[in-house]
Amino acid sequence: MDDLDRDLLSALRHNARTSVSSLAAATGASRATVTARIERLVDNGTITAFTIRTGHETRAAGVRAIVLIEVLGKLADKVADQLRGLPQVRALHSTNGKWDFIAELEDRDLASFDETLRRIRLINGINTTESNILLKTSKMGF
């Protein structure tokens, strides 16, 4: 996965209905290249569906979690790019203190969540993680 793939995933995560022409214009790649890259991401299982986001109350049951991430040295930008490329990462926050990032994850089940955590821990530059599964949410929004 390279920068173009991550840029495409980020744009599609924001709006899965973004046209190939718009993606090409945003990334500077040709429409043919964007189409081929998206097809490859679907074929290799990186993209498993094109979907919509709904309000919290309409979401299907699944696993939601917060993952605290400590990064080695000056690799924060590269780590952030990798994390933003994961479709399970719904939000990524940079922080101060012990943890460099807080990632909000959403996955379909525990087995998928376990695989997502494995993928995160394999990202070059990640030193350690701490995961907290969200059991119940009593207030959404600000």
Side-chain angles (χ1 to χ4, degrees):
M1 182 173 302
D2 63 10
D3 288 341
L4 177 58
D5 291 333
R6 283 188 287 280
D7 289 346
L8 292 171
L9 286 172
S10 179
L12 290 170
R13 186 179 312 111
H14 178 70
N15 181 358
R17 295 180 61 182
T18 303
S19 70
V20 170
S21 296
S22 295
L23 292 169
T27 61
S30 71
R31 289 184 306 182
T33 297
V34 168
T35 299
R37 291 295 188 100
I38 291 171
E39 287 175 0
R40 189 187 77 210
L41 292 167
V42 169
D43 290 345
N44 72 19
T46 300
I47 295 176
T48 58
F50 294 86
T51 187
I52 62 169
R53 246 183 294 176
T54 61
H56 173 70
E57 60 279 348
T58 59
R59 288 185 185 155
V63 176
R64 293 182 314 122
I66 301 295
V67 180
L68 307 168
I69 301 165
E70 182 183 17
V71 177
L72 291 169
K74 298 180 180 182
L75 297 172
D77 289 341
K78 291 181 189 263
V79 168
D81 287 344
Q82 294 278 325
L83 291 168
R84 281 192 292 268
L86 295 173
Q88 298 84 354
V89 176
R90 298 297 182 203
L92 183 64
H93 311 276
S94 60
T95 65
N96 64 334
K98 177 180 178 182
W99 304 106
D100 298 295
F101 293 109
I102 297 174
E104 296 179 36
L105 270 63
E106 189 171 318
D107 229 318
R108 65 182 177 274
D109 54 38
L110 285 173
S112 297
F113 176 68
D114 185 47
E115 175 59 21
T116 299
L117 282 179
R118 186 189 72 75
R119 289 178 65 192
I120 287 172
R121 290 175 180 142
L122 290 174
I123 292 173
N124 185 37
I126 290 183
N127 187 42
T128 189
T129 64
E130 180 180 312
S131 306
N132 298 279
I133 293 176
L134 303 175
L135 301 175
K136 179 180 176 183
T137 301
S138 59
K139 182 177 178 180
M140 288 291 290
F142 312 162

